[in-house]
Amino acid sequence: QVQLVESGGDSVQSGGSLRLSCVASGSILTFKDVSWYRQVPGKEHELVASIRDRGTTKYANSVKGRFTISRDNAQNTVWLQMNGLKPEDTAKYYCSGFTSLLVARSWGQGTQVTVSS
C-alpha cells in the first residue's frame, strides 16, 4: 500500500507563508486525487484543497486566492503553497489519497501549522 508522508509545518506569524509537501512511498498516480485536509481539536476534518490525477484543482472558499495545490507525478509529490496565512489557518494538516470507493482513503500522519497574530 502506498503511504503518504507530510512535512513543512511550522509556526509563523500572520501574513506569512509555508509550503507543505506530501510525498508518496510509491507512485502518486495510485491515487485518483490527492487532497489536503486540516483539523483542529474537537472538530471534523475540513477539506482545504484537492488535485486530481489530471491536474484539476478544487479549494475551500476560506483559502481561495491564498493557497495553491500542485503536484509533480515524477517526484510522487503534492505541495500546498500557503500564502497570507491567518490565525484561523492554525490546524494539523493531513494529506489524503483517494483510489476508489472500494478502497479506504490513505492518510498521512499530519503536520502542524500554527499561525500567530
Side-chain angles (χ1 to χ4, degrees):
Q1 185 176 3
V2 177
Q3 297 183 332
L4 301 170
V5 179
E6 307 97 329
S7 63
D10 205 344
S11 295
V12 296
Q13 294 206 331
S14 183
S17 298
L18 284 174
R19 189 192 200 199
L20 305 183
S21 299
C22 171
V23 180
S25 61
S27 173
I28 197 78
L29 290 173
T30 297
F31 307 108
K32 289 186 178 178
D33 75 61
V34 178
S35 302
W36 285 97
Y37 286 79
R38 64 188 181 189
Q39 187 177 33
V40 295
K43 292 192 175 182
E44 297 286 328
H45 280 99
E46 175 192 9
L47 176 64
V48 176
S50 64
I51 186 165
R52 291 192 61 86
D53 49 3
R54 295 189 178 187
T56 304
T57 59
K58 182 171 64 176
Y59 297 93
N61 287 334
S62 59
V63 306
K64 278 181 183 176
R66 299 188 298 124
F67 291 10
T68 302
I69 189 170
S70 61
R71 66 190 292 162
D72 185 324
N73 295 332
Q75 295 189 51
N76 295 314
T77 302
V78 171
W79 294 278
L80 184 68
Q81 177 67 42
M82 306 187 295
N83 299 327
L85 283 161
K86 304 175 181 180
E88 51 264 45
D89 294 318
T90 295
K92 194 163 188 179
Y93 284 70
Y94 295 87
C95 179
S96 177
F98 172 79
T99 304
S100 78
L101 293 174
L102 300 178
V103 179
R105 268 191 172 271
S106 296
W107 293 89
Q109 82 290 348
T111 186
Q112 179 68 36
V113 172
T114 304
V115 185
S116 57
S117 57

